């Protein structure tokens, strides 16, 4: 008898970015610039950290299983009702819950090839069929191709806008024909993890679209703009019946007490949000220009990271070379970009360190 079903046996685990301590030990380097996981270079929201510290005194009790204050705070901020808000242990958990809750055995998950790997993992872990449209122009969601792959079996669609790892983003007018074509029973998930870093004319976040398209589900996270990746906190907005079904499937205490308190405080920390956005908007062009100057093909990004292709430079090798210089980036070989690195937009000195290391190892 097999220990696990075939769809579990064939899974490959998610490969996270290398931790700083491990790189320091292995490579004998210090003052490492970790630009591997699209984290917030400014650190966590100070208000959230203070609230998290206070909340520690209460961790003998189970958290509020309904996340009452957090869901109310989110609802007030977003102009929706608390019944339309759901929260999770990172938006990653919510991606999984969308598949576990809604996709039946003979139904399909649709997304774009080379987009965020969690969509693929969520479908595979449940043994559900994943349908992927190829990207257009190597780095862009092809919503027309995705539209053609819609069928009566398509139950959940994942669309990252902006996308990870490419950083590309599309305006509302490109999305509308897809939404018009999607059956009402198909849940279209707009994953807006990087929403706050967008400065694309014509971009429209998914919240307003929900009025016309009740099958739209919006996912967001506290990991990026609020700098709380280590606390694991994400949220979604959907129709009350969709939220209610997710509530039945999720673990009873999926968001811990400290994260709930930090999340409420982070929503009040407009200063940290503004600073984090300003940093990325200022440093993203600096990093992109520096990367182009060392010969990379840089994909124009709307996220807090940049995808840079180094033709002729195998991704794993360049990644290792940079580790030796104390710079951690993320090779994108597993995403089907064999010579590309995804590099988080850091502080100026981190970006400079990364560019100097690249110049050295590329012999520029
Ligand atoms: C597009 C996208 N969605 C969701 C997530 C998951 O974020 P978290 O689980 O930290 O909320 C990420 C993380 O990198 C992402 O890039």
């Amino acid at each position: 008898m097999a220990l696990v079903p075939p769809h579990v046996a064939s899974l490959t685990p998610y490969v996270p970015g290398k931790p700083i301590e491990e790189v320091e030990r292995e490579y004998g380097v210090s003052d490492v610039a970790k630009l591997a996981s699209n984290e917030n270079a400014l650190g966590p929201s100070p208000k959230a950290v203070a609230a998290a510290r206070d909340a520690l005194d209460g961790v003998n009790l189970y958290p509020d299983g309904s996340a009452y204050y957090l869901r109310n705070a989110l609802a007030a901020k977003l102009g929706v009702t608390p019944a339309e808000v759901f929260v999770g242990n990172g938006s990653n958990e919510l991606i999984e819950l969308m598949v576990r809750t809604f996709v039946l055995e003979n139904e399909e998950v649709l997304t774009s090839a080379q987009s965020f790997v969690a969509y693929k993992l969520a479908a595979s872990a449940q043994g559900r069929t994943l349908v992927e449209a190829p990207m257009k122009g190597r780095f862009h969601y092809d919503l027309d191709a995705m539209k053609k792959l819609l069928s009566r079996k398509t139950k959940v669609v994942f669309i990252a806008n902006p996308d990870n790892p490419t950083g590309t983003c599309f305006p509302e007018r490109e999305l509308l024909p897809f939404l018009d074509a999607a059956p009402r029973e198909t849940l279209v998930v707009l994953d807006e993890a990087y929403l706050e870093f967008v400065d694309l004319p014509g971009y429209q976040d998914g919240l307003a679209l929900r009025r016309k398209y009740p099958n739209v589900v919006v996912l967001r996270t506290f990991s990026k703009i609020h700098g709380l990746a280590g606390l694991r906190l994400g949220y979604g907005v959907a129709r009350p019946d969709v939220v209610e079904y997710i509530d039945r499937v999720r673990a009873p205490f999926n968001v811990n007490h400290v994260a709930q308190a930090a999340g409420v405080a982070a929503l009040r920390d407009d200063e940290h949000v503004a600073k984090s956005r300003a940093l990325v908007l200022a440093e993203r062009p600096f990093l992109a220009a520096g990367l182009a100057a060392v010969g990379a093909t840089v994909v124009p990004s709307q996220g807090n990271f940049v995808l840079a292709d180094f033709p002729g430079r195998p991704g794993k090798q360049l990644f290792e070379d940079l580790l030796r210089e104390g710079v951690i980036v993320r090779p994108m070989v597993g995403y089907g970009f064999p010579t590309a690195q995804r590099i988080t937009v850091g502080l100026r000195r981190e970006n400079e360190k990364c560019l100097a290391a690249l110049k050295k190892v590329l012999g520029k």
Side-chain angles (χ1 to χ4, degrees):
M1 190 192 286
L3 183 60
V4 292
H7 64 265
V8 174
S10 60
L11 285 177
T12 37
Y14 179 79
V15 184
K18 272 202 178 242
I20 293 177
E21 298 73 20
E22 200 180 312
V23 172
E24 287 182 342
R25 196 168 20 85
E26 237 179 281
Y27 293 84
V29 289
S30 57
D31 190 28
V32 165
K34 182 173 189 269
L35 304 174
S37 302
N38 305 346
E39 291 145 343
N40 189 325
L42 283 182
S45 147
K47 286 191 177 159
V49 171
R53 284 211 175 96
D54 286 348
L56 280 172
D57 288 334
V59 295
N60 57 314
L61 303 179
Y62 284 99
D64 170 9
S66 70
Y68 177 85
Y69 293 106
L70 177 58
R71 288 175 54 224
N72 274 273
L74 280 165
K77 186 104 193 168
L78 304 171
V80 299
T81 64
E84 293 169 288
V85 178
F86 56 112
V87 293
N89 193 247
S91 54
N92 221 307
E93 185 195 21
L94 302 177
I95 291 166
E96 274 171 32
L97 281 169
M98 287 305 302
V99 177
R100 271 171 56 204
T101 310
F102 298 106
V103 187
L104 277 65
E105 213 172 321
N106 59 341
E107 294 177 334
E108 297 171 351
V109 174
L110 172 63
T111 188
S112 171
Q114 298 179 284
S115 182
F116 189 41
V117 73
Y119 310 146
K120 193 187 288 198
L121 285 175
S124 318
Q126 288 303 117
R128 298 298 181 252
T129 304
L130 180 76
V131 178
E132 294 179 295
M135 288 210 153
K136 71 174 175 206
R138 289 179 73 206
F139 305 114
H140 297 265
Y141 261 67
D142 188 341
L143 291 163
D144 277 341
M146 284 181 68
K147 195 168 86 175
K148 292 189 185 116
L149 292 172
L150 282 167
S151 79
R152 289 227 301 279
K153 286 189 182 170
T154 315
K155 190 55 154 302
V156 168
V157 181
F158 288 110
I159 296 176
N161 196 31
D163 178 43
N164 172 18
T166 63
T168 57
C169 185
F170 48 80
E172 184 183 29
R173 68 181 148 72
E174 287 186 27
L175 181 62
L176 296 181
F178 180 85
L179 291 177
D180 285 330
R184 283 285 141 127
E185 301 72 35
T186 302
L187 295 171
V188 180
V189 179
L190 300 177
D191 182 345
E192 298 178 342
Y194 302 99
L195 157 91
E196 295 86 352
F197 306 112
V198 173
D199 68 349
L200 180 82
Y203 177 83
Q204 172 69 56
D205 72 70
L207 287 184
L209 294 171
R210 293 179 51 249
R211 261 187 292 280
K212 183 162 177 213
Y213 304 97
N215 54 334
V216 164
V217 176
V218 175
L219 292 188
R220 299 203 184 149
T221 180
F222 284 82
S223 297
K224 311 297 174 185
I225 192 77
H226 299 293
L228 300 180
L231 276 180
R232 312 303 303 124
L233 184 57
Y235 62 96
V237 181
R239 291 194 318 249
D241 62 321
V242 169
V243 173
E244 220 229 295
Y245 283 119
I246 291 172
D247 251 352
R248 296 184 197 189
V249 174
R250 71 175 172 87
F253 303 111
N254 61 332
V255 176
N256 71 72
H257 179 60
V258 177
Q260 288 189 32
V264 171
L267 291 174
R268 292 197 205 109
D269 199 344
D270 293 338
E271 192 186 337
H272 189 259
V273 167
K275 275 191 192 162
S276 303
R277 176 176 158 85
L279 175 83
V280 168
L281 294 195
E283 289 301 311
R284 190 165 63 195
F286 173 79
L287 181 63
L291 289 166
V294 295
T297 306
V298 183
V299 184
S301 173
Q302 293 288 318
N304 66 343
F305 58 89
V306 171
L307 186 72
D309 193 32
F310 299 85
R313 296 277 178 169
K316 282 265 158 59
Q317 185 59 53
L318 183 55
F319 163 69
E320 292 274 341
D321 291 345
L322 289 172
L323 285 181
R324 256 174 241 114
E325 301 300 318
V327 177
I328 319 178
V329 297
R330 193 75 159 268
M332 289 289 117
V333 181
Y335 277 88
F337 299 116
T339 52
Q341 308 288 335
R342 195 193 62 202
I343 306 172
T344 307
V345 176
L347 303 172
R348 175 59 61 97
R349 68 175 157 75
E350 294 174 313
N351 299 331
E352 281 173 343
K353 181 171 174 134
C354 174
L355 294 171
L358 273 167
K359 254 189 213 151
K360 185 173 163 196
V361 304
L362 295 171
K364 299 276 169 179

